[in-house]
Amino acid sequence: MGLELTASNIVKRFGERELFSIEQLQVQEGESLHLSGDNGVGKTTLMKILAGLDKPCAGRINVTPNMKGRWSTSLHPKVIYLHQTPYVFSGSVKDNIAYGLKLKGISRGQIKRTVQSALEWARLEEFADHAAHSLSGGEKQRLALARAWVLTPGLLFLDEPTANLDKQSVDSVTELVRKMVDGGAAVMISSHQTNPLTEVCQRSLLLADGKVSESQFPKEMLFDA
Amino acid sequence: MGLELTASNIVKRFGERELFSIEQLQVQEGESLHLSGDNGVGKTTLMKILAGLDKPCAGRINVTPNMKGRWSTSLHPKVIYLHQTPYVFSGSVKDNIAYGLKLKGISRGQIKRTVQSALEWARLEEFADHAAHSLSGGEKQRLALARAWVLTPGLLFLDEPTANLDKQSVDSVTELVRKMVDGGAAVMISSHQTNPLTEVCQRSLLLADGKVSESQFPKEMLFDA
Amino acid sequence: MQDNLLETSMLSLQLLFSLDAELWDIIGVSFRVSITAILIATLPAILVGFFLAMVDFKGRWMVIALFNALMAVPTVVVGLTLYLLLSRSGPLGDLHLLFTQPAMIIGQVALAFPLLVCMSHSAFQSIDKRAWETARTLGANCFFAVTTIMKEARFALLAAVLAGFGRIISEVGCSMMIGGNIMSYTRNIPTAIALETSKGMFAQGIALGLVLLILALLLNFTLASIRGKGRLV
Amino acid sequence: MQDNLLETSMLSLQLLFSLDAELWDIIGVSFRVSITAILIATLPAILVGFFLAMVDFKGRWMVIALFNALMAVPTVVVGLTLYLLLSRSGPLGDLHLLFTQPAMIIGQVALAFPLLVCMSHSAFQSIDKRAWETARTLGANCFFAVTTIMKEARFALLAAVLAGFGRIISEVGCSMMIGGNIMSYTRNIPTAIALETSKGMFAQGIALGLVLLILALLLNFTLASIRGKGRLV
Amino acid sequence: EEKIIRLATTTSTYNSGLLDKLLPEFEKTHNAKVQVIAVGTGKALRMGQAGDVDVVMTHAPKSEKAFVDGGFGVHPKSVMYNDFVIVGPAEDPAQIQGAADVTKALQAIAATDSQFISRGDDSGTHKKELSLWATTSAGKQFSNYKEVGQGMGKVLQMADELKGYTMTDRGTWLAYESRLQLKLLVEGDKRLFNPYQIIQVNPELHKGLNVEGAKELSDWFVSSKGQQMINDFRINEKALFHGSANPQVVEK
Ligand SMILES: Nc1ncnc2c1ncn2[C@@H]1O[C@H](COP(=O)(O)OP(=O)(O)OP(=O)(O)O)[C@@H](O)[C@H]1O
Ligand SMILES: Nc1ncnc2c1ncn2[C@@H]1O[C@H](COP(=O)(O)OP(=O)(O)OP(=O)(O)O)[C@@H](O)[C@H]1O
Ligand SMILES: [Mg+2]
Ligand SMILES: [Mg+2]
């Protein structure tokens, strides 16, 4: 696999207010990063920009290898961003997990098997045919993770993925991230909490005053309950 | 102030599945409770039922004194529930905070002062006239808290209020809850994390297997990073 | 006289810029009647739409389907039914409403109602359930909560009202039937167009259509600039 | 002749239950033309609506206001304009389309279009921005993402299509003008009603209206049972 | 205060512009306001029957007779007449130009299976046309006979468009002539006579009718002033209507 993302001179403004201005940010294959920072510093905005869902006011983001298909989809097919509060499509839990797979033109049998194992991982088997809208907050979060996981992303942005998860779920997400990173994928996680997941992260980025700084965990910024 | 809530024989089912069945649950003035439990056990559903936003399949909820106005609003005016992911009304941040106050027929000047102090508390002064929709996840959470706080609730249900908050915000929410409880209000908080807020809670409830049990913190169910 | 399209358009424009008193009369009737009708119909229809979106009662889907089907009833049939009611020999004949502007207003209210109900039902359906819950828990009684939800759905509701207005300002069957197309009194733009057309005066018909289009554009531009140039939020 | 409302209703029902071949002819023309027209108009109009909801370009609000205003153009004006285009002496006269069903279809497509654009624009506006982002990040190209959003907005879109269908199945001005109301060929329910009405045969007119209402009800009941009895989600 | 008189009349009469010329004069001298409701003949009589108008003016002798015999209308007065003509394409495939006998002309149209556009709406004109077809041996059973169910002007336009024949009243024909390629082919047969009557709605059946106004209006139409104005009315320098109050028009 092996994706490499380079962002240079990224600036984001909302009206007058400059949210951040980042000179250089690199994410390499097999890396896991923890992005921290106070509410409203722009973690979500930054991750969306890196994932190609939002446009910076200035600067360039480069993902190599560039895997643009014949249909210029403009988004990199191996880069996935997960919302802070995930959006679930109408339809069943199963449909949601199969969404990305169906777009890839994978065989029905293969999709079925993949969806089944994703349901198991997310412990949502019993809800497989329920309307995804009726899931609880944490269940939706797990669904969104499973929905991204089945697509074997090379670069995964997780926006506060564990905020609403119970202990067991956090552990399985941690396990998942560890495996993905071992497999050569890169994962960036934003979180206000320190927990098993953030602890597996190799690099720790702090977004503050519009700048990103690489740092040891500034523990005092986080809970150490 | 002094509200007292008694729930007896509350049962909630979704189709075939019985979510929980609770014989007795009392919340008295000046109490703070931490409701914990795995994803999908029904914390959100239970709190909505207690707050009158959802109907149980069986059982009764009683809040004394019953302050129903002439217009039978059916919801108790002193009981407020805060969503796990808060909904912000279209309009500015200020409008959102003033929402409940305007309904009470308070004078304009008074509303303005109250909104101002709420903005300060939530550290949202600079966003006062911004569209509430454009706030970050944590800022929306703080806005929702401020919006409830200005109404001086007697019984407040907070559904994972700190999931998306940074350390400083958690501290100010903790401070807020402490003050409210001292003033005779009751607060019930659901949370998967242990943090300063959950630690101020006097009682700890665990929802598991469809039953609520009063317990010492079952620390192993929570993160203690 | 003109035969081809270009000449007709030219004549239309000519007519358009020589707005005479008679034309203003017709325009006045059109807008007075239709604006009154839409003002009367909107609130009740929106409330019905809200009720249908929020309250789950047995047979709800049938009511919704009925309103949907009512949109397919030709305006002239509504006109006919009202005619038989309002006619001297009809049950409401004593009101002497036939061939008056109030009768036209009644007809247009009836025409706008189903469309407004259906469109506002669909507008409310797409509003987050949490909006209602938040309003209620913050102390809004049902009445205030409804107004809050209406505010949240305002763009979709505005679109509904504009569609309803478009339906009644342009309809001819009902106005003709119960208005009678009486000059200076119940002749509005669509019935005037029908008259011109029946005379074979196509250019005049199209010119009147253009007048209506231009006035509707003005109205919409005004509304659009109020609602913030089409942007959401 | 019957005078009062009750007798008229009775007669309508009588007529209704003695459906004869001629009536079926008229019903056939109505539904064939209008269903074809709505099928042709829907997809392009929805795409335009989507474009207007999602892409922020200069002058967007003016385009939206224009479509809103076009809803207020009387059907007969659309008919007149097409008439002048399709007439023997008009620019498209060589196609010999005037007074044919294809011409009626063209007219009804033109009539449904603005309403469909406006209503689908408003449907898409109320869809959460995250839906689009989620679809895109999960690998959907723009085309698939649009279909996903259409699925998310399907109830509002269905309501839009039903409103559009209601508009064209019930309109008389355009069909009369470019269809010509020729028996067994271009006579549909609304033009037949107009004819009966002009003859003073009000009962027959209302009966035809009831036929249309009943058929529209059947159609809507079918759709409602497909979409799950009016429930959201 | 001026009183309102409601007059239901046929679209063709209204569209000719005759009433716009006559009524202001009446309104001035009688301090009344005449509201004209222009509809099809059947609808006009139906409105009279329901008591929604005070007076009707139509040109369908048979229906008018039924209307009066049924007790819905009183004091029918012949006001004026004009005539019907048969028009068709300049090529004239049935070779009927100049025919003096309508029956023969129609027969030729049927025999050559030429396009014939019929009002098909039960109007006075339509009824007249049907009665004329009834005088032919073959009748109207030919494939290019089209019933379109529309007003006279629209039918003329369709005939023009489809290069067909049709029968029209002279008033509408004169109003449309200049923008059509059709030619006037047959006129003058006695059976093409087109009489107009004004009939007051029976005041005994309905309350609240403006009986006096209705009487004044119908009296005025047959007065020498009214008749004079009818005879003087011109379109393109051609007379459209001829006063017929004196002598009384005999119904056939
Ligand atoms: N469309 C917008 N218009 C104006 N301001 C915006 C917009 N979107 C975001 N912002 C502002 O940008 C800032 C950063 O938002 P962002 O969601 O990136 O923060 P965050 O770091 O993810 O915060 P949190 O920890 O609370 O999720 C916030 O203050 C927010 O108000
Ligand atoms: N409308 C509904 N229809 C069917 N099932 C529902 C509905 N609403 C909730 N549920 C189910 O009820 C269960 C409890 O949901 P609830 O949101 O109360 O959980 P929770 O304890 O708050 O979980 P979390 O910690 O993830 O927020 C979930 O499994 C959910 O799927
Ligand atoms: Mg964020
Ligand atoms: Mg929950």
Side-chain angles (χ1 to χ4, degrees):
Chain A
M1 198 163 290
L3 288 182
E4 192 177 313
L5 178 144
T6 320
S8 29
N9 299 312
I10 304 291
V11 180
K12 183 73 184 181
R13 276 181 231 97
F14 286 115
E16 294 283 272
R17 177 179 168 221
E18 182 175 298
L19 199 57
F20 51 72
S21 146
I22 294 163
E23 268 178 35
Q24 192 73 15
L25 184 62
Q26 281 218 342
V27 183
Q28 255 135 11
E29 62 171 301
E31 273 189 345
S32 52
L33 301 91
H34 175 197
L35 178 66
S36 59
D38 285 347
N39 289 141
V41 289
K43 300 181 295 300
T44 297
T45 310
L46 175 61
M47 289 173 85
K48 278 196 184 175
I49 287 176
L50 295 179
L53 288 175
D54 201 348
K55 295 264 162 293
C57 302
R60 283 176 48 77
I61 290 123
N62 224 5
V63 181
T64 49
N66 186 328
M67 288 167 76
K68 254 180 204 169
R70 273 179 310 147
W71 309 81
S72 149
T73 51
S74 86
L75 292 192
H76 196 289
K78 283 280 161 201
V79 178
I80 296 186
Y81 166 84
L82 238 81
H83 285 92
Q84 193 162 352
T85 41
Y87 182 88
V88 295
F89 295 119
S90 62
S92 70
V93 171
K94 241 183 195 162
D95 295 341
N96 265 275
I97 295 181
Y99 181 83
L101 294 172
K102 277 184 188 153
L103 294 173
K104 285 191 161 181
I106 295 174
S107 79
R108 280 166 151 260
Q110 183 60 37
I111 290 183
K112 215 171 164 183
R113 278 190 298 278
T114 313
V115 168
Q116 193 51 39
S117 64
L119 282 172
E120 270 163 39
W121 174 80
R123 288 177 289 132
L124 293 172
E125 296 108 311
E126 64 169 316
F127 302 122
D129 294 310
H130 285 211
H133 278 296
S134 70
L135 291 183
S136 82
E139 287 163 351
K140 275 186 194 154
Q141 195 67 259
R142 292 205 302 252
L143 169 60
L145 278 160
R147 189 170 59 180
W149 171 57
V150 295
L151 297 174
T152 61
L155 183 47
L156 185 59
F157 294 94
L158 301 177
D159 203 350
E160 313 206 13
T162 55
N164 293 297
L165 293 187
D166 59 26
K167 196 170 179 330
Q168 189 183 351
S169 305
V170 172
D171 287 340
S172 47
V173 175
T174 310
E175 193 49 41
L176 181 79
V177 168
R178 208 195 303 266
K179 267 197 212 142
M180 284 178 61
V181 170
D182 286 348
V187 182
M188 186 188 273
I189 297 154
S190 83
S191 177
H192 291 291
Q193 292 103 33
T194 51
N195 58 27
L197 178 61
T198 57
E199 268 161 21
V200 301
C201 290
Q202 303 147 357
R203 287 170 66 187
S204 161
L205 302 176
L206 176 69
L207 182 55
D209 299 328
K211 302 278 168 218
V212 170
S213 54
E214 188 106 19
S215 70
Q216 275 311 94
F217 262 359
K219 288 269 180 196
E220 74 279 9
M221 296 296 293
L222 300 158
F223 318 127
D224 30 28
Chain B
M1 197 162 289
L3 288 183
E4 191 177 315
L5 178 144
T6 320
S8 27
N9 300 313
I10 304 292
V11 180
K12 183 73 184 180
R13 274 181 234 97
F14 286 115
E16 294 283 273
R17 176 178 170 221
E18 182 175 298
L19 200 57
F20 52 72
S21 145
I22 294 163
E23 269 179 33
Q24 192 73 16
L25 184 63
Q26 282 218 341
V27 183
Q28 254 134 15
E29 62 172 299
E31 273 189 344
S32 51
L33 299 92
H34 174 198
L35 178 66
S36 59
D38 284 348
N39 288 141
V41 289
K43 300 182 296 300
T44 297
T45 310
L46 176 61
M47 290 172 87
K48 278 195 185 176
I49 288 175
L50 294 179
L53 287 176
D54 202 347
K55 295 265 163 289
C57 302
R60 282 177 48 77
I61 289 122
N62 223 5
V63 182
T64 50
N66 187 327
M67 288 167 77
K68 253 180 205 169
R70 274 179 309 147
W71 308 82
S72 148
T73 50
S74 86
L75 292 192
H76 197 289
K78 282 281 161 201
V79 178
I80 295 186
Y81 166 84
L82 238 81
H83 285 92
Q84 193 161 352
T85 40
Y87 182 89
V88 296
F89 296 119
S90 62
S92 71
V93 170
K94 240 182 193 163
D95 295 342
N96 265 275
I97 296 181
Y99 182 83
L101 295 171
K102 277 183 188 155
L103 295 172
K104 286 191 159 180
I106 295 172
S107 79
R108 278 168 153 259
Q110 184 60 39
I111 289 183
K112 214 172 163 182
R113 277 190 300 278
T114 313
V115 168
Q116 193 51 41
S117 64
L119 282 171
E120 271 163 37
W121 174 81
R123 288 177 291 130
L124 292 172
E125 297 108 311
E126 63 168 315
F127 302 120
D129 294 311
H130 286 212
H133 278 295
S134 70
L135 291 183
S136 81
E139 286 164 351
K140 275 187 195 154
Q141 196 67 260
R142 294 204 302 251
L143 169 60
L145 278 159
R147 189 170 60 179
W149 170 57
V150 294
L151 298 174
T152 60
L155 182 47
L156 185 58
F157 294 94
L158 302 177
D159 203 351
E160 314 206 13
T162 55
N164 292 296
L165 292 187
D166 60 26
K167 195 170 182 329
Q168 189 182 353
S169 305
V170 172
D171 287 341
S172 47
V173 175
T174 310
E175 194 49 41
L176 181 79
V177 168
R178 208 195 306 265
K179 267 195 213 146
M180 284 177 61
V181 170
D182 287 348
V187 183
M188 185 187 274
I189 297 155
S190 83
S191 178
H192 292 290
Q193 290 103 32
T194 52
N195 58 28
L197 177 61
T198 57
E199 267 161 22
V200 300
C201 291
Q202 303 147 359
R203 286 170 65 188
S204 162
L205 301 176
L206 177 68
L207 182 54
D209 298 328
K211 303 279 166 219
V212 170
S213 54
E214 188 104 19
S215 69
Q216 277 310 97
F217 261 178
K219 289 268 182 197
E220 72 281 7
M221 295 295 294
L222 300 158
F223 318 126
D224 30 29
Chain C
M1 280 223 183
Q2 75 299 330
D3 251 298
N4 74 43
L5 198 69
L6 189 74
E7 282 175 53
T8 307
S9 322
M10 291 309 295
L11 191 78
S12 324
L13 288 175
Q14 243 172 57
L15 210 80
L16 205 63
F17 289 110
S18 67
L19 294 177
D20 62 346
E22 199 173 294
L23 187 55
W24 279 115
D25 241 17
I26 293 174
I27 293 171
V29 172
S30 253
F31 278 80
R32 203 170 324 119
V33 167
S34 293
I35 287 176
T36 312
I38 203 79
L39 287 179
I40 294 174
T42 296
L43 194 64
I46 284 181
L47 290 179
V48 172
F50 183 84
F51 183 79
L52 290 174
M54 294 286 171
V55 184
D56 197 356
F57 58 93
K58 225 179 132 176
R60 170 168 70 157
W61 67 278
M62 287 181 69
V63 178
I64 296 169
L66 178 67
F67 276 110
N68 268 315
L70 282 174
M71 290 195 291
V73 175
T75 60
V76 65
V77 173
V78 175
L80 273 172
T81 312
L82 280 171
Y83 179 90
L84 293 173
L85 284 171
L86 297 178
S87 159
R88 281 254 171 74
S89 45
L92 304 178
D94 293 340
L95 302 176
H96 294 295
L97 280 176
L98 202 62
F99 305 138
T100 64
Q101 289 186 16
M104 292 170 81
I105 293 173
I106 294 172
Q108 298 199 350
V109 167
L111 285 173
F113 206 81
L115 183 69
L116 285 173
V117 168
C118 292
M119 292 296 112
S120 55
H121 167 250
S122 123
F124 287 123
Q125 263 202 333
S126 55
I127 292 292
D128 198 316
K129 216 179 92 197
R130 289 175 303 149
W132 174 257
E133 292 174 347
T134 305
R136 295 285 280 129
T137 201
L138 292 176
N141 59 28
C142 285
F143 171 75
F144 282 117
V146 171
T147 63
T148 302
I149 304 299
M150 276 166 59
K151 222 179 124 202
E152 296 296 300
R154 67 194 177 284
F155 292 138
L157 291 178
L158 181 63
V161 171
L162 286 174
F165 185 72
R167 178 171 164 94
I168 61 178
I169 191 97
S170 69
E171 81 81 28
V172 63
C174 184
S175 297
M176 192 66 117
M177 194 70 216
I178 57 180
N181 193 21
I182 299 168
M183 183 59 217
S184 307
Y185 182 40
T186 58
R187 179 166 303 167
N188 61 12
I189 304 181
T191 59
I193 291 174
L195 180 65
E196 295 299 330
T197 309
S198 81
K199 287 192 211 162
M201 313 287 263
F202 292 176
Q204 277 77 351
I206 290 185
L208 282 167
L210 281 181
V211 171
L212 191 49
L213 178 63
I214 288 170
L215 292 171
L217 265 177
L218 282 179
L219 187 76
N220 274 288
F221 280 177
T222 317
L223 283 175
S225 56
I226 292 172
R227 71 175 267 195
K229 317 224 155 166
R231 230 176 301 123
L232 188 60
V233 176
Chain D
M1 280 208 192
Q2 76 297 333
D3 251 297
N4 74 43
L5 199 67
L6 189 74
E7 283 175 53
T8 306
S9 321
M10 292 308 296
L11 191 79
S12 323
L13 288 176
Q14 245 173 57
L15 211 80
L16 207 62
F17 288 110
S18 66
L19 293 178
D20 61 346
E22 200 171 293
L23 188 55
W24 281 114
D25 241 17
I26 293 173
I27 293 172
V29 172
S30 254
F31 279 79
R32 203 169 325 120
V33 167
S34 292
I35 288 176
T36 312
I38 204 80
L39 287 179
I40 293 173
T42 296
L43 194 65
I46 285 182
L47 290 179
V48 173
F50 182 84
F51 183 79
L52 290 174
M54 294 287 170
V55 184
D56 197 356
F57 58 94
K58 224 179 134 178
R60 169 167 73 156
W61 67 277
M62 287 181 69
V63 178
I64 296 169
L66 178 66
F67 276 110
N68 268 315
L70 282 175
M71 291 195 290
V73 175
T75 59
V76 64
V77 173
V78 175
L80 273 173
T81 312
L82 281 172
Y83 179 91
L84 293 173
L85 283 172
L86 298 178
S87 150
R88 256 198 304 142
S89 46
L92 304 178
D94 294 339
L95 301 177
H96 293 294
L97 279 176
L98 204 61
F99 308 135
T100 64
Q101 289 187 14
M104 292 169 82
I105 293 173
I106 294 172
Q108 298 198 350
V109 167
L111 286 173
F113 206 81
L115 183 70
L116 285 172
V117 168
C118 292
M119 292 297 112
S120 55
H121 168 250
S122 123
F124 287 123
Q125 262 201 333
S126 56
I127 292 291
D128 197 317
K129 216 179 91 197
R130 288 175 303 148
W132 174 257
E133 292 174 347
T134 304
R136 294 286 279 131
T137 202
L138 292 176
N141 59 29
C142 285
F143 171 75
F144 282 118
V146 170
T147 64
T148 301
I149 304 300
M150 276 166 59
K151 222 180 124 203
E152 296 296 299
R154 66 192 175 285
F155 292 139
L157 291 179
L158 181 63
V161 171
L162 286 174
F165 184 72
R167 179 172 164 94
I168 61 177
I169 191 96
S170 69
E171 82 80 28
V172 62
C174 183
S175 298
M176 194 64 120
M177 198 71 212
I178 57 180
N181 192 22
I182 300 170
M183 181 59 217
S184 305
Y185 182 42
T186 56
R187 180 167 302 168
N188 61 10
I189 304 181
T191 60
I193 292 174
L195 176 61
E196 294 300 328
T197 309
S198 81
K199 289 189 208 164
M201 311 288 266
F202 294 175
Q204 277 76 353
I206 291 185
L208 282 168
L210 281 180
V211 171
L212 191 49
L213 179 62
I214 288 171
L215 292 171
L217 265 177
L218 282 178
L219 187 76
N220 274 288
F221 280 177
T222 317
L223 283 175
S225 55
I226 292 172
R227 69 174 266 195
K229 318 224 155 168
R231 230 175 300 122
L232 187 62
V233 176
Chain E
E1 201 193 291
E2 60 183 25
K3 289 164 295 176
I4 287 172
I5 305 166
R6 279 175 173 167
L7 166 67
T9 188
T10 60
T11 320
S12 56
T13 318
Y14 187 71
N15 288 354
S16 70
L18 175 73
L19 296 175
D20 293 334
K21 192 102 177 183
L22 265 66
L23 292 178
E25 178 70 24
F26 170 80
E27 287 171 348
K28 218 164 48 203
T29 51
H30 290 78
N31 188 33
K33 174 96 191 90
V34 182
Q35 292 186 340
V36 180
I37 293 149
V39 289
T41 301
K43 202 163 154 190
L45 291 175
R46 184 74 169 68
M47 284 174 167
Q49 187 185 329
D52 293 317
V53 291
D54 303 307
V55 58
V56 298
M57 185 160 87
T58 53
H59 56 118
K62 279 202 183 106
S63 307
E64 286 156 15
K65 186 163 186 306
F67 184 69
V68 175
D69 289 348
F72 302 116
V74 293
H75 310 310
K77 291 191 172 77
S78 289
V79 176
M80 59 193 186
Y81 70 90
N82 64 359
D83 61 347
F84 292 110
V85 296
I86 290 175
V87 299
E91 301 87 64
D92 193 13
Q95 296 298 318
I96 60 167
Q97 175 141 36
D101 185 340
V102 205
T103 307
K104 286 211 178 102
L106 291 179
Q107 218 142 17
I109 291 170
T112 53
D113 195 15
S114 308
Q115 295 267 1
F116 188 93
I117 314 299
S118 164
R119 288 279 296 267
D121 62 352
D122 261 0
S123 60
T125 310
H126 184 222
K127 283 180 178 150
K128 168 65 82 179
E129 180 211 310
L130 289 181
S131 71
L132 290 174
W133 279 113
T135 64
T136 63
S137 52
K140 58 186 175 72
Q141 258 60 45
F142 58 103
S143 64
N144 276 324
Y145 182 84
K146 290 207 170 86
E147 291 195 18
V148 299
Q150 301 210 57
M152 196 66 250
K154 202 56 212 312
V155 166
L156 279 173
Q157 230 127 25
M158 287 185 76
D160 191 41
E161 199 64 47
L162 299 171
K163 298 197 178 201
Y165 294 95
T166 191
M167 192 184 87
T168 169
D169 63 284
R170 193 181 289 270
T172 312
W173 168 247
L174 288 179
Y176 275 79
E177 187 181 15
S178 57
R179 72 191 90 134
L180 300 175
Q181 277 146 35
L182 296 174
K183 293 275 167 295
L184 198 165
L185 299 174
V186 178
E187 63 182 327
D189 189 311
K190 277 243 169 54
R191 286 172 297 168
L192 290 171
F193 199 55
N194 179 27
Y196 285 73
Q197 284 196 103
I198 189 162
I199 308 173
Q200 295 171 46
V201 173
N202 189 349
E204 283 164 23
L205 294 182
H206 311 280
K207 309 178 277 186
L209 290 178
N210 185 353
V211 188
E212 217 170 293
K215 186 172 177 324
E216 275 175 11
L217 183 65
S218 55
D219 286 348
W220 185 81
F221 266 112
V222 298
S223 70
S224 53
K225 172 78 184 162
Q227 293 286 302
Q228 184 64 46
M229 287 188 79
I230 289 170
N231 285 327
D232 289 349
F233 181 68
R234 292 285 185 283
I235 289 180
N236 302 335
E237 272 107 53
K238 285 179 192 148
L240 247 68
F241 300 101
H242 311 280
S244 63
N246 255 325
Q248 283 271 315
V249 172
V250 196
E251 286 171 27
K252 294 192 229 184

